[in-house]
Amino acid sequence: MSESYQNYVNGSWTDASTGETFETNDPAAPNEAIASYQQSDVEDANAAVEAAAAASEEWAETPAPQRGAVLRETAQNLAARKEELTELLTREEGKTHAEAGGEVQRTIDIFYYYAEKTRDLGGKVKSSSGERTNLYTKNQPVGVAALITPWNYPIAIPAWKIAPALATGNTLVLNPASVAPGVAIAIFEALDDAGLPDGVANIVTGPGSSVGDAMITHEDVDAVSFTGSGEVGHMVYDAATDDGKRVQTELGGKNPTVVSNSADVEEAADIVAAGRFGVTGQACTACSRAIVHTDVYDEFVDAIVERAEAIEVGPGDEYDMGPQVSESELEGTLDYIEIAKEEGATLATGGNRLEGDRYGEGYFVEPTVFTDVENDFRIAQEEVFGPVLSVIEVEDFEDALETANDIQYGLSASIVTDDHTEAERFVDEIEAGVAKINDKTTGLELHVPFGGFKQSSSETWREQGDAGIDFYTIEKTIYDTF
């Protein structure tokens, strides 16, 4: 029998007011139920927000190092369950065991990081023009935060929203994606075991169209943090800002890796393959476009095709690349493969759903490479959330940079080159929030800002590191004259 989970509201594990539940399934074996969750609605969301609002003042007044102690113990609790959570993430979302384990470890590290940051929270002392005036600033929590997170990093993304919010004295409500909410609930189990006061952090599962909407429009919510699709993100942004709420959104990407004629082609192929086919291509920072200098284009195509064909696909506990998370995601990827063919791109390898033997009814697709792609093709302009790479040929560095920037997104980008001048120009001129040299587009350090340009984010507040603290605090200036 599958596990059954409840909402966590005001320090108690509770059923949804609807009395209804929904199930998650293993994307490698869709007929296998993993767990059941509460099918919550507006009433449940409102109760969670009200609990967070009631707990807000007391948590804000709790000394920051005491808040840090709760986060530190939460990290310890998660670490004690690392293997269990890794297996749950693999079964519910489809990542390989190594990928899932890395994500769980990142979550642990995030809670440890913000636990230590609580020791340094405060303001700044400034010199005053008056002789008897002490002039300084202090940072105060925003209040109640509504957090809405996606399925592709179902424990790390909630963690990098929850930990800074709690560290800075905010209370919160989380609505995780319904595809894989189990590991997010584990965070709240760890917080509860760490002695977090009632109402400070709450989680309500169920559809974002009702639960999420009720959260972001509730009058007691002061800040909204959303990660997900551009279409939904723009609606979230409009709804939150109409009410004067502080808001940050991260909305996806169409990330390029430029391969220079000075690059080591074998190294470039390794970098692009890791950035495109890792986590089954289901990352907002995944490399979607390889923009390759004509002098090394043919050699690169041969190398990247070789890398793609060497990947062993199957259930995540045994193979190099797991399934897509759901049937709809798989169908979306297969649709884009057909669109690319119709547009005139050349299918160099892959392009098929994998069936039979070890694949069963799972949502598996071959690592896919298209060549002869023009940058105005839909396959090169629209986000494909699967293991599909477009290879675009360019004449020189100027052409490569222009092609890389000729897109509505601007999240992550990289260049593979041995030319220092190219590298320096690339990081200066690329229109992306993350720029890398001789590295894959995926992979983020937790102590530096993360966010995009253009349609990849609201371009308001960054996440992670000190930027995460900035989003959840308001600075007040104090004139103290006696």
Side-chain angles (χ1 to χ4, degrees):
M1 178 177 285
S2 63
E3 189 88 21
S4 180
Y5 292 93
Q6 295 174 296
N7 293 332
Y8 183 70
V9 177
N10 202 25
S12 297
W13 296 100
T14 61
D15 291 337
S17 60
T18 62
E20 298 177 0
T21 61
F22 65 92
E23 283 189 335
T24 58
N25 300 85
D26 185 344
N31 293 328
E32 181 180 340
I34 303 301
S36 66
Y37 299 91
Q38 302 304 308
Q39 184 79 348
S40 310
D41 66 4
V42 173
E43 182 178 341
D44 303 296
N46 288 342
V49 172
E50 288 159 12
S56 181
E57 184 176 351
E58 183 175 351
W59 184 244
E61 292 175 353
T62 300
Q66 289 185 28
R67 300 196 296 259
V70 174
L71 298 186
R72 192 174 301 108
E73 187 170 344
T74 299
Q76 294 167 352
N77 294 340
L78 292 169
R81 299 175 60 189
K82 181 179 176 181
E83 183 58 31
E84 170 200 344
L85 297 180
T86 296
E87 292 177 2
L88 175 59
L89 204 165
T90 294
R91 293 184 67 215
E92 202 163 62
E93 195 270 350
K95 281 186 173 70
T96 67
H97 188 274
E99 292 165 345
E103 182 178 345
V104 174
Q105 185 59 54
R106 181 182 183 84
T107 300
I108 295 164
D109 294 343
I110 287 168
F111 275 95
Y112 275 128
Y113 172 78
Y114 282 108
E116 295 309 309
K117 293 296 284 185
T118 59
R119 299 182 185 275
D120 295 325
L121 295 178
K124 303 182 180 98
V125 176
K126 298 290 186 178
S127 296
S128 171
S129 300
E131 294 181 357
R132 295 186 302 110
T133 300
N134 293 318
L135 184 61
Y136 61 96
T137 68
K138 64 183 299 185
N139 294 323
Q140 296 184 324
V142 174
V144 178
L147 314 178
I148 302 173
T149 55
W151 52 261
N152 62 323
Y153 285 91
I155 190 167
I157 293 178
W160 79 51
K161 297 178 189 293
I162 292 168
L166 295 180
T168 50
N170 297 272
T171 59
L172 62 90
V173 183
L174 173 70
N175 177 221
S178 295
V179 174
V183 284
I185 286 177
I187 293 177
F188 290 79
E189 294 171 341
L191 287 165
D192 186 58
D193 290 343
L196 186 75
D198 294 351
V200 172
N202 309 270
I203 183 169
V204 179
T205 57
S209 57
S210 56
V211 175
D213 184 65
M215 287 164 47
I216 64 177
T217 57
H218 197 290
E219 63 181 5
D220 287 336
V221 166
D222 303 289
V224 175
S225 181
F226 171 88
T227 301
S229 72
E231 180 182 2
V232 176
H234 292 307
M235 291 189 291
V236 168
Y237 183 84
D238 289 343
T241 54
D242 282 349
D243 290 338
K245 294 174 170 55
R246 182 176 293 203
V247 61
Q248 63 181 182
T249 63
E250 192 275 289
L251 307 175
K254 191 69 178 174
N255 311 295
T257 294
V258 169
V259 180
S260 168
N261 61 340
S262 67
D264 179 316
V265 172
E266 295 298 316
E267 178 187 20
D270 288 339
I271 287 171
V272 171
R276 174 67 277 186
F277 303 123
V279 296
T280 320
Q282 298 177 135
C284 56
T285 54
C287 173
S288 188
R289 297 176 296 152
I291 300 171
V292 185
H293 193 288
T294 187
D295 290 352
V296 296
Y297 180 83
D298 290 339
E299 184 182 357
F300 175 83
V301 168
D302 290 342
I304 194 65
V305 167
E306 181 182 353
R307 302 300 190 280
E309 292 178 347
I311 294 171
E312 292 192 49
V313 182
D317 53 358
E318 297 182 57
Y319 295 93
D320 301 330
M321 190 180 91
Q324 296 220 243
V325 74
S326 66
E327 185 173 16
S328 63
E329 291 295 333
L330 173 63
E331 289 176 349
T333 296
L334 295 174
D335 286 346
Y336 270 111
I337 289 170
E338 293 306 311
I339 289 168
K341 294 176 184 177
E342 293 168 4
E343 289 181 312
T346 299
L347 180 62
T349 190
N352 299 304
R353 179 174 183 171
L354 294 166
E355 298 177 298
D357 298 328
R358 65 173 178 256
Y359 309 114
E361 300 298 319
Y363 307 128
F364 296 100
V365 64
E366 292 176 312
T368 300
V369 177
F370 280 101
T371 61
D372 303 314
V373 177
E374 300 295 331
N375 204 47
D376 60 354
F377 286 3
R378 287 182 62 189
I379 196 74
Q381 289 289 318
E382 299 175 14
E383 188 172 35
V384 182
F385 225 57
V388 179
L389 177 70
S390 297
V391 186
I392 302 170
E393 185 174 5
V394 292
E395 294 297 321
D396 53 31
F397 176 74
E398 299 292 342
D399 188 12
L401 190 60
E402 181 180 351
T403 299
N405 284 333
D406 185 21
I407 195 80
Q408 64 176 326
Y409 297 104
L411 186 56
S412 182
S414 70
I415 186 170
V416 186
T417 182
D418 280 342
D419 186 319
H420 285 281
T421 300
E422 284 184 349
E424 290 169 2
R425 281 198 58 196
F426 181 82
V427 297
D428 284 343
E429 298 178 37
I430 192 67
E431 296 168 358
V434 176
K436 297 188 174 188
I437 301 169
N438 295 327
D439 198 2
K440 62 188 181 196
T441 57
T442 53
L444 304 168
E445 296 278 358
L446 62 86
H447 60 290
V448 291
F450 172 61
F453 292 177
K454 300 189 279 192
Q455 294 299 309
S456 287
S457 85
S458 55
E459 295 189 334
T460 48
W461 304 86
R462 295 306 198 216
E463 296 191 272
Q464 303 196 108
D466 288 336
I469 290 172
D470 291 342
F471 175 69
Y472 292 107
T473 55
I474 297 175
E475 195 168 41
K476 178 185 288 185
T477 302
I478 313 297
Y479 294 78
D480 183 357
T481 304
F482 285 98

